[in-house]
Amino acid sequence: TVEGKSKCTFVALITEDASGRGSVGKNSKSAMNRALNKVAESGGDSYFYVSSEATIAGSTVILESYKCN
């Protein structure tokens, strides 16, 4: 939540894209999985969803990575 993230330390803004021959759903899932992996790699243990976009050409997911524990 917006209130919850104020109790955490911001780590990084994560943007991940996925495109290819897959379906819109497959590209969206792939972009989210990549973004979640980047949250972990950045040292974050939590994330805040910023936005996503899915088109036939590909998908983009933007998350904020936070350290809360």
Side-chain angles (χ1 to χ4, degrees):
T1 65
V2 173
E3 299 82 26
K5 76 177 189 173
S6 67
K7 299 173 187 171
C8 302
T9 302
F10 177 79
V11 177
L13 182 65
I14 308 293
T15 302
E16 280 298 318
D17 302 307
S19 61
R21 297 179 186 221
S23 66
V24 172
K26 183 178 177 183
N27 288 336
S28 295
K29 185 175 181 179
S30 179
M32 180 58 93
N33 285 338
R34 290 179 187 181
L36 291 172
N37 286 334
K38 289 280 178 127
V39 168
E41 290 169 11
S42 73
D45 58 18
S46 301
Y47 70 90
F48 185 78
Y49 174 84
V50 177
S51 69
S52 64
E53 181 178 355
T55 69
I56 200 156
S59 298
T60 301
V61 173
I62 302 173
L63 305 176
E64 294 175 341
S65 174
Y66 286 89
K67 182 76 171 171
C68 297
N69 294 321

